[in-house]
Amino acid sequence: MGTLFTALSDAFSAMGAIFSAMLDVWFIVLPPIFYSLFVILWLPHVWGHYGSKVRWVMLEIIPPRDIEKSPQPMESIFTGFAGVVKGFNTAEEWVKGEYPTSFSLELVSTEGRVHFYIRTQVGFRNLVEAHFYAQYPDVEIIEVPDYTTQIPRTIPNKDWDLWGTDFELAKDDAYPIRTYKSFEESVTGKMIDPMAGLIETMSKVGPGQHMWLQLITTPINEKWYASGKAIADKLAGRAEKEKPKSIFAKLWGDLTDIFSNILPGIMGKEMVFSTAEAAEKKSDQPIEAKLTLGERDVLKAIEANIGKQMFKMRMRYLYVGRREAFNKPTGVSAFIGGIKQFNDGSLNSFKPEDTSKTDAKYIFVEPRLRFLQRRILNRYIWRDPSPDHTRFILSTEELATIYHIPDMSVIAPNLSRVAAKRSGAPMNLPIQED
């Protein structure tokens, strides 16, 4: 019994010591903890409050039947979307919960019928339509219901199955993917539409199957250019500018030089000092000569890419189907193959992001798989860009490559197109007077 009382007494004494120590350092330890909790709990609350007031509209973009344009006009459209970029003050961000405006660009196959959608805030509908009509006068834009309502909200179930993933880049954002300018026949010089294979694959699915590609696109300001430029400078071998040294650092450097050269000086060898002149002395050989041909091409591609308007991206794909029609070779393997045509081993590539992919192994496979499937479905339906750390950045050229109005060479029979050209009334139309 005495041993028990002794143990309890020691435990209370230890707790007292911990409490006493906390009283001494609480103002150091607790604020970071409470701040982290505040950010985790408060920001989603104000974001939800702000988002509940935002009204959205789903627009279907119906391509013209006879169009011979490269994806380049889409660059102008996406640059126009960047007009929504704005900065937020502390009150707008932390009290009102405002967040950057996004557009959801969606390529959808509904039982083999391929559609182009853009989900945007109601207030920016005119912006979207104006830029599309400016570049594609014959395009048709109509408001449609959200296609995600065509399937149950709880999948998987006994009738439906699902496979999904978010995509990420294999390298740093500054490295571009293979863009439409590289899709050209070497003999005829004719451009091959980069989306042809993807659209053809999506048109092959049959009844009870749906393929959804979602690009949540958020224009960002020019501050990102400095990060991209640093990558280009590193690849080119340009040294970073050193920060000015303090007087103590300079003194330590001088003392190091003196003591490290005492022995060579006694032995009659040439002494080496790390002076500013010695540090700045470089080879007379130009930077271009130090790079291989492949490295020069990569550097050129990076520098051309980082000068364009940039967008923060969430690229998400879902294949949803009835169990009797669910076909992974078409809905998953063939689609991933279509995405791989945008990959360039020396530049950048898309790849499925492991933590979002609906795949579970080893233990508790079924409940874990069901959780992943329902999580990615809900994120898709709500156009949720989270988690933020797996998002990446694309330029207008890269974005136009993977989402653009296909030209007339794309002859997939199930691609929706405008039946007739859109035009105004003739100028010489007779006017009937009363």
Side-chain angles (χ1 to χ4, degrees):
M1 198 70 175
T3 305
L4 177 62
F5 282 124
T6 302
L8 288 174
S9 176
D10 292 341
F12 282 117
S13 298
M15 292 174 62
I18 294 172
F19 182 74
S20 176
M22 284 296 297
L23 288 178
D24 294 332
V25 298
W26 68 267
F27 55 89
I28 299 174
V29 176
L30 294 182
I33 296 175
F34 284 130
Y35 176 76
S36 300
L37 290 173
F38 171 74
V39 171
I40 293 171
L41 299 176
W42 176 254
L43 280 181
H45 168 70
V46 291
W47 286 342
H49 182 69
Y50 174 76
S52 65
K53 299 178 182 178
V54 177
R55 294 190 301 129
W56 297 88
V57 61
M58 180 72 75
L59 303 176
E60 181 174 4
I61 312 298
I62 305 178
R65 185 168 297 278
D66 299 321
I67 179 173
E68 292 183 283
K69 288 187 177 182
S70 75
Q72 190 167 5
M74 290 297 297
E75 288 198 57
S76 299
I77 292 174
F78 294 138
T79 301
F81 286 6
V84 303
V85 174
K86 63 166 287 189
F88 301 107
N89 58 38
T90 303
E92 290 172 333
E93 185 175 2
W94 292 89
V95 179
K96 293 184 178 180
E98 293 188 34
Y99 46 79
T101 302
S102 297
F103 302 88
S104 187
L105 316 176
E106 302 175 5
L107 180 61
V108 173
S109 173
T110 303
E111 299 183 330
R113 193 74 179 172
V114 181
H115 303 269
F116 288 81
Y117 296 111
I118 293 185
R119 184 175 182 265
T120 181
Q121 294 182 21
V122 171
F124 296 120
R125 176 175 181 170
N126 289 340
L127 179 146
V128 171
E129 292 181 342
H131 285 286
F132 266 96
Y133 286 135
Q135 300 298 327
Y136 301 96
D138 296 324
V139 76
E140 186 174 337
I141 303 176
I142 58 174
E143 182 177 345
V144 294
D146 191 346
Y147 60 89
T148 62
T149 58
Q150 298 175 9
I151 67 166
R153 282 295 182 265
T154 304
I155 296 179
N157 56 39
K158 62 183 181 66
D159 297 318
W160 292 80
D161 202 355
L162 175 153
W163 188 94
T165 186
D166 291 340
F167 285 92
E168 63 180 351
L169 290 177
K171 296 181 182 178
D172 191 274
D173 298 335
Y175 289 82
I177 60 170
R178 185 186 179 204
T179 64
Y180 66 87
K181 294 179 180 179
S182 301
F183 287 79
E184 187 178 282
E185 291 183 3
S186 58
V187 178
T188 63
K190 183 180 179 181
M191 195 201 78
I192 303 170
D193 195 304
M195 292 183 64
L198 209 55
I199 292 174
E200 189 66 36
T201 298
M202 298 181 80
S203 68
K204 294 298 183 183
V205 298
Q209 300 178 74
H210 305 262
M211 299 172 74
W212 300 345
L213 177 64
Q214 182 182 81
L215 305 167
I216 301 176
T217 306
T218 307
I220 59 178
N221 57 33
E222 296 78 9
K223 291 181 180 179
W224 184 85
Y225 176 79
S227 301
K229 188 67 168 59
I231 298 293
D233 289 344
K234 183 177 180 180
L235 183 62
R238 301 187 189 102
E240 295 183 9
K241 293 182 178 179
E242 295 184 2
K243 296 180 180 179
K245 293 182 178 180
S246 66
I247 188 171
F248 297 105
K250 291 179 180 178
L251 180 60
W252 176 255
D254 293 341
L255 291 173
T256 303
D257 280 343
I258 293 170
F259 286 106
S260 63
N261 282 285
I262 288 175
L263 184 58
I266 294 173
M267 298 177 64
K269 295 183 178 180
E270 182 181 356
M271 293 184 289
V272 180
F273 293 94
S274 57
T275 60
E277 292 79 5
E280 291 175 3
K281 186 177 180 181
K282 297 180 180 178
S283 171
D284 295 334
Q285 191 178 25
I287 292 174
E288 291 77 7
K290 299 177 184 179
L291 302 176
T292 66
L293 290 176
E295 289 172 336
R296 290 183 210 173
D297 291 340
V298 170
L299 179 60
K300 183 179 179 181
I302 291 176
E303 291 182 332
N305 193 55
I306 62 177
K308 297 178 180 290
Q309 172 63 45
M310 293 290 176
F311 298 83
K312 199 163 190 180
M313 303 291 304
R314 161 64 64 213
M315 184 173 172
R316 180 172 288 140
Y317 171 69
L318 261 65
Y319 169 55
V320 186
R322 291 189 173 274
R323 290 193 178 274
E324 64 270 16
F326 200 76
N327 184 356
K328 271 193 173 183
T330 300
V332 179
S333 301
F335 183 86
I336 298 295
I339 291 293
K340 284 183 178 294
Q341 67 183 324
F342 304 118
N343 295 355
D344 188 320
S346 61
L347 293 173
N348 220 334
S349 306
F350 291 122
K351 64 176 184 177
E353 198 271 317
D354 289 336
T355 61
S356 65
K357 189 166 53 176
T358 52
D359 183 36
K361 296 179 181 178
Y362 308 123
I363 59 172
F364 306 116
V365 172
E366 286 191 17
R368 286 170 54 221
L369 178 59
R370 186 166 57 248
F371 167 77
L372 291 171
Q373 289 174 310
R374 294 181 178 178
R375 183 182 67 177
I376 199 168
L377 176 61
N378 286 328
R379 284 178 173 175
Y380 190 103
I381 290 172
W382 292 104
R383 277 73 182 184
D384 185 355
S386 61
D388 189 72
H389 71 276
T390 58
R391 293 167 73 189
F392 53 85
I393 293 173
L394 294 182
S395 67
T396 51
E397 184 176 325
E398 296 172 287
L399 186 53
T401 300
I402 58 179
Y403 189 93
H404 62 264
I405 302 295
D407 70 10
M408 59 190 299
S409 67
V410 181
I411 56 175
N414 290 330
L415 174 62
S416 299
R417 288 190 183 271
V418 176
K421 283 191 175 183
R422 174 176 168 269
S423 60
M427 295 292 293
N428 59 351
L429 189 69
I431 301 174
Q432 184 177 0
E433 297 182 359
D434 293 334

